[in-house]
Amino acid sequence: MSSRISNVALPGSVFLLLTLAFELAGLAGLLPPTIPRPVKVVENMVGDGAVLWLHCRSTVLTAACGYAMAIGAAFSAGFLVHQHKALETAALTIGTVLNSIPIIAVAPILIIWMGVSWPMRITLTAFLCFFPIFVGMIQGLGATERNAGELFLVLAATPAQRFWKLALPSALPYIFLGLKIAAPLAVLGALVAEWTGTETGLGVLMINAMFNFQMERLWASVLIVCILSAGSYGALSLIERVVLTADRTADGIAP
Amino acid sequence: MNRAAAPAIAIVGRRMGAYGLVMACLLAIWQAAVTVFQIPGYLMPAPAAVLASLADNASLIGSDAVFTVFCTLAGMTVSIVAAMTLAVAFVLSGLLSRALMPLIIVVRTIPVIAVAPLMISVFGREQWNSIAIVALLSFFQIMLAAKKGLLSPSANAIEMMHVYGAGMCQVLLKLRIPAAIPYIFTGLRIASGSAILCAMFAEWLSGAAGLGSLTLDAYSQQDFSLMWATVLVGTTAAYLFFTLTVAAEGLVLDRTR
Amino acid sequence: MGRLSIDRVSKVFDIDGRQVQALKEISLELEDGQFGALIGPSGCGKSTLLRMVADILPPTSGSISIDGAHPSQARKDHRIGFVFQDATLLPWRTVLENIRLPLEIVAERDPDREKLPRELIELVGLSGFEKAKPSQLSGGMQQRAAIARSLVLSPRVLLLDEPFGALDDITRSRMNLELLRIRAETKITALMVTHSIQEAVFMADRIFVLAARPGRIADVVEVGLDRPRSFAQMSDPAFTGAVDRVRQCLFDQQAMAAIDV
Ligand SMILES: Nc1ncnc2c1ncn2[C@@H]1O[C@H](COP(=O)(O)OP(=O)(O)OP(=O)(O)O)[C@@H](O)[C@H]1O
Ligand SMILES: [Mg+2]
């Protein structure tokens, strides 16, 4: 119990000390103008609260929609590949090729196709999140225990029953791994889309703050982005812990 | 020396050959698609046009590529040094590890590119920004891999070293670091593939010279052939980087085994 | 109903382009309600034979029939129950949910059958553990849950692949008695793979002793012991006689194999 407290208290106090050190250094005039004092950043977050909230909302909306779209796409692709094993290599190859196109090349194509619009933002986000979820899906669906597969064969289960009752539950640990990796990427996808020239979003706020040298606002918006990405990862870890019982690890099925 | 390097050269040759083959196939399919479906150049330029643009702008693309590669190499060097130092410190001091590791695990979930505007403000619009972003990106992967490797020797092996009277430094030099080398290379391999693309992204955002800015310039001048030519060069450089790491890994592991 | 007949079944595996004959011309018969045991050296193809009966693998040649039907028909009609060597329970389902699984797959609404899982839980002595997850059960309890699951669709033929291999002696003996009791209640035809000669004689009406390379039937031993069986019969001359005969057959094979080498 005491070790559990120190597990939180130790890094927590290090974080507070670091913040304090920056504050003191700032007060002593030791920090460059690009690094504001933490107190100033917090002040800005409170003072600019309404603006930040507005832009944050639009980023979160993009990220959530793109994430959902990526899940839908990865799930459908995973289902298809599971029902028709022959598609697996093709699907993975296409996925890998798409994944290796740099995002700075994808963004212009999407803009040409869809303009700077909500669909473009969401698609770009989904594009970025898709691969980890898809790979998790494929790996997980392939990780079904052989004996369990034979059990479903003896029971004369239909392919759909096999998917819903066997493959999907055994794939969950892998799927969660993919979902966890993809969640911060959804935030990133929304930002990248915003950097291509939208009018709202934390990305816009950041870039404008950067150009106008509003360092407090820049740091505040970056801080929010950090909280969003780490928070989304953390939230998924919590959901994972609730959904998967302790006896199930990333190996899929307990011994 | 030459004989020892031969397998590494063979690895690089084989992998780059395979890459060239795959790329040639992709470009052929792409060319066929553009020709058959009459896709207009602004949607998807034909590979022939892209390759022509690559030849026309060879010196421009070349000098920008050199800049980007330099930044990537510098960034990776910085991150290797920092990551190794910190990994060793974590292994030597449990307290330090317990105090900092949770923070690092949280920070690691934040995509480095998402904080790029802040890095640009702090590190300026020149090469330092790209170097810092590449360093930050590679740091976590290499550090965590190195730490895992340093902790990989079994308790038995460490006890054996103690029985022979080895001190902390000797355990580190003779046991932990050799054991960590394969792990470090795994981390390097993961980092090396994305490092150049990340540097390009940093340039894309900051406007520092390099392939990333060239991509953006080409796009804003609606020169899509040039844009895809730079992307092609960037992707190839990323794959070359990855391959060189794999070859170096083979070379080092051969020598230490 | 419940007649199993295997007629000159052979199985050839293709291992990296090399043809390996796992089983050669196996023929065996089990009458309705009979208990058969398969015993033989490791790798002689016992599991392969069982998997062919369950239509998991197709035979290379020969034919198998269950009540005169092809195994694939019997499988689709849910006339086959299979118990794997490890219990193969789905870890995310409770004991009751695991036992209900076959009913969900059949997906027919038969209120009589809906009561069956609970009755079977009682039959295998797992009352009170309905809500437990497999990881919370001992190996023997998991295996009993697996047996209950294999019975939930009231199959005619029960195939058991070393079901008690991982259990200690005492638990194993208890499980043997329970399986015999279940068999007496359900009148099911059973074919069980085992490595224990005592277990084979104690459980079976008919023992098929297999030889290896290629897998073939070396001897068929009829066990003339009365039912219900009890441990007291283990000193019966009929029991020891059967044990000796099976052992002799297995030993002779080993001797032959030694000469071969
Ligand atoms: N899927 C397969 N592919 C190729 N060869 C196989 C396959 N399954 C089994 N074999 C081969 O068939 C032979 C018989 O295997 P089987 O598992 O039936 O043996 P067994 O009698 O059950 O052995 P054990 O008592 O050890 O379980 C072995 O030589 C094995 O190598
Ligand atoms: Mg077997």
Side-chain angles (χ1 to χ4, degrees):
Chain A
M1 192 60 214
S2 73
S3 85
R4 194 179 292 176
I5 290 175
S6 82
N7 276 349
V8 179
L10 209 54
S13 43
V14 168
F15 177 75
L16 288 180
L17 275 177
L18 273 177
T19 316
L20 192 67
F22 269 93
E23 184 65 33
L24 292 178
L27 283 174
L30 295 174
L31 289 180
T34 49
I35 304 182
R37 287 190 282 125
V39 168
K40 287 275 184 199
V41 175
V42 175
E43 262 174 23
N44 178 274
M45 272 175 103
V46 177
D48 275 1
V51 181
L52 284 172
W53 168 241
L54 194 77
H55 289 277
C56 180
R57 227 174 37 187
S58 122
T59 300
V60 169
L61 188 66
T62 312
C65 291
Y67 191 61
M69 187 169 147
I71 293 179
F75 199 84
S76 320
F79 181 78
L80 274 181
V81 166
H82 183 257
Q83 303 289 302
H84 308 277
K85 265 278 168 280
L87 295 177
E88 179 166 329
T89 329
L92 272 179
T93 312
I94 295 174
T96 315
V97 168
L98 287 180
N99 187 49
S100 56
I101 304 178
I103 195 76
I104 55 175
V106 176
I109 300 179
L110 289 182
I111 293 177
I112 293 167
W113 286 351
M114 309 180 184
V116 177
S117 60
W118 282 101
M120 183 280 290
R121 292 171 156 201
I122 293 171
T123 313
L124 187 68
T125 307
F127 184 88
L128 220 58
C129 306
F130 173 78
F131 195 64
I133 307 179
F134 178 64
V135 168
M137 205 59 203
I138 296 293
Q139 268 184 352
L141 291 175
T144 314
E145 215 197 351
R146 201 187 83 175
N147 269 347
E150 291 187 352
L151 169 72
F152 274 67
L153 187 62
V154 174
L155 290 173
T158 63
Q161 286 173 331
R162 204 175 251 275
F163 179 80
W164 291 107
K165 290 188 195 292
L166 176 63
L168 192 62
S170 22
L172 275 183
Y174 295 86
I175 295 177
F176 266 111
L177 196 63
L179 288 177
K180 280 194 293 188
I181 295 173
L185 290 181
V187 179
L188 176 64
L191 288 184
V192 173
E194 286 155 11
W195 289 334
T196 63
T198 61
E199 280 168 4
T200 54
L202 287 172
V204 179
L205 205 62
M206 273 158 110
I207 287 289
N208 288 343
M210 178 179 95
F211 281 122
N212 301 332
F213 214 76
Q214 299 167 302
M215 283 304 130
E216 282 94 8
R217 179 176 269 192
L218 174 60
W219 280 77
S221 48
V222 167
L223 191 61
I224 295 177
V225 165
C226 292
I227 293 172
L228 284 180
S229 11
S232 60
Y233 189 94
L236 273 158
S237 307
L238 277 182
I239 298 176
E240 180 186 25
R241 208 174 288 177
V242 173
V243 172
L244 302 184
T245 41
D247 52 305
R248 294 184 64 204
T249 59
D251 293 339
I253 280 187
Chain B
M1 176 61 213
N2 265 342
R3 203 180 305 155
I9 294 170
I11 290 179
V12 175
R14 198 147 16 89
R15 295 192 70 107
M16 289 319 286
Y19 175 81
L21 214 61
V22 170
M23 267 305 178
C25 288
L26 281 179
L27 291 180
I29 295 171
W30 176 4
Q31 177 74 55
V34 169
T35 316
V36 172
F37 299 111
Q38 309 237 311
I39 299 173
Y42 63 89
L43 275 188
M44 250 320 176
V50 171
L51 292 178
S53 170
L54 182 60
D56 287 348
N57 300 292
S59 71
L60 180 64
I61 296 178
S63 66
D64 278 350
V66 167
F67 181 84
T68 304
V69 167
F70 165 75
C71 290
T72 311
L73 280 177
M76 298 233 0
T77 312
V78 170
S79 79
I80 291 172
V81 173
M84 287 299 297
T85 315
L86 211 59
V88 169
F90 279 161
V91 170
L92 293 184
S93 157
L95 184 70
L96 193 66
S97 168
R98 270 190 300 141
L100 290 187
M101 271 314 281
L103 294 179
I104 287 184
I105 286 170
V106 172
V107 171
R108 197 174 79 107
T109 61
I110 301 165
V112 172
I113 292 176
V115 299
L118 197 132
M119 307 276 286
I120 293 170
S121 297
V122 174
F123 290 98
R125 299 186 155 272
E126 304 301 320
Q127 67 273 32
W128 295 117
N129 167 54
S130 306
I131 294 175
I133 286 186
V134 169
L136 194 62
L137 176 87
S138 324
F139 170 78
F140 293 110
Q141 266 143 2
I142 300 174
M143 201 279 287
L144 291 174
K147 180 165 172 276
K148 199 169 162 197
L150 290 172
L151 291 175
S152 69
S154 68
N156 273 343
I158 290 165
E159 275 171 20
M160 184 213 46
M161 295 292 280
H162 277 299
V163 172
Y164 289 130
M168 200 137 74
C169 277
Q170 278 175 313
V171 172
L172 199 62
L173 286 177
K174 295 204 190 311
L175 184 64
R176 291 196 188 273
I177 290 182
I181 287 176
Y183 291 81
I184 296 170
F185 269 109
T186 308
L188 266 179
R189 220 184 315 127
I190 299 171
S192 67
S194 46
I196 281 206
L197 298 181
C198 197
M200 279 174 74
F201 195 98
E203 293 156 2
W204 185 75
L205 209 58
S206 72
L211 286 176
S213 310
L214 192 56
T215 312
L216 187 61
D217 290 347
Y219 168 67
S220 47
Q221 290 158 18
Q222 308 281 301
D223 185 351
F224 294 107
S225 304
L226 179 59
M227 186 186 102
W228 279 98
T230 55
V231 168
L232 196 63
V233 169
T235 312
T236 308
Y239 193 77
L240 181 64
F241 242 63
F242 177 78
T243 304
L244 287 176
T245 322
V246 173
E249 180 177 4
L251 207 62
V252 171
L253 293 190
D254 263 3
R255 237 178 247 177
T256 50
R257 286 294 128 84
Chain C
M1 41 170 235
R3 225 182 99 87
L4 169 66
S5 92
I6 299 177
D7 186 25
R8 279 166 295 153
V9 159
S10 299
K11 180 72 190 177
V12 178
F13 280 115
D14 189 358
I15 303 177
D16 302 329
R18 205 163 46 87
Q19 305 280 302
V20 176
Q21 177 131 38
L23 288 169
K24 188 177 177 193
E25 305 247 311
I26 300 270
S27 295
L28 66 81
E29 299 275 333
L30 276 181
E31 297 303 324
D32 188 26
Q34 262 196 324
F35 198 115
L38 279 174
I39 193 165
S42 179
C44 72
K46 304 179 295 292
S47 301
T48 305
L49 184 60
L50 235 52
R51 309 234 306 262
M52 288 191 298
V53 175
D55 190 40
I56 297 170
L57 288 175
T60 310
S61 66
S63 68
I64 299 173
S65 81
I66 293 165
D67 288 339
H70 190 269
S72 72
Q73 192 56 45
R75 177 172 67 85
K76 283 171 196 144
D77 294 345
H78 307 286
R79 271 185 271 171
I80 300 172
F82 203 113
V83 180
F84 295 88
Q85 178 163 7
D86 55 347
T88 318
L89 300 173
L90 304 181
W92 55 88
R93 286 174 165 250
T94 64
V95 168
L96 182 62
E97 286 165 350
N98 262 294
I99 296 176
R100 272 187 47 81
L101 175 74
L103 289 180
E104 288 173 24
I105 284 176
V106 176
E108 66 179 47
R109 289 264 155 263
D110 182 347
D112 278 352
R113 274 198 170 168
E114 288 299 317
K115 291 199 305 251
L116 212 53
R118 286 185 188 280
E119 289 171 18
L120 282 167
I121 284 181
E122 204 152 311
L123 186 71
V124 297
L126 282 177
S127 305
F129 290 95
E130 291 88 347
K131 294 250 160 60
K133 288 280 171 68
S135 58
Q136 297 164 325
L137 302 184
S138 74
M141 292 161 90
Q142 289 184 17
Q143 205 54 265
R144 278 185 274 168
I147 291 176
R149 181 182 60 195
S150 71
L151 293 172
V152 85
L153 292 177
S154 318
R156 308 280 165 73
V157 172
L158 184 61
L159 304 169
L160 305 109
D161 192 355
E162 288 184 58
F164 311 130
L167 305 185
D168 67 273
D169 256 3
I170 309 264
T171 317
R172 188 171 184 153
S173 305
R174 267 220 315 274
M175 296 291 298
N176 284 340
L177 280 180
E178 279 184 56
L179 184 56
L180 284 180
R181 190 165 51 77
I182 291 167
R183 195 203 68 96
E185 283 187 25
T186 56
K187 301 277 183 284
I188 202 167
T189 309
L191 183 58
M192 176 170 92
V193 172
T194 174
H195 277 294
S196 154
I197 302 175
Q198 316 271 334
E199 186 175 75
V201 176
F202 183 66
M203 307 285 287
D205 301 301
R206 193 175 277 181
I207 302 171
F208 306 98
V209 186
L210 267 66
R213 279 163 215 233
R216 64 208 125 86
I217 293 192
D219 198 2
V220 180
V221 179
E222 301 280 347
V223 183
L225 291 168
D226 296 334
R227 291 195 186 269
R229 301 268 167 96
S230 68
F231 291 122
Q233 287 169 314
M234 290 182 114
S235 49
D236 196 306
F239 189 98
T240 48
V243 167
D244 282 343
R245 186 162 156 201
V246 173
R247 181 180 296 135
Q248 199 56 48
C249 183
L250 289 171
F251 266 96
D252 284 352
Q253 282 176 37
Q254 290 224 315
M256 296 281 281
I259 292 166
D260 267 0
V261 175

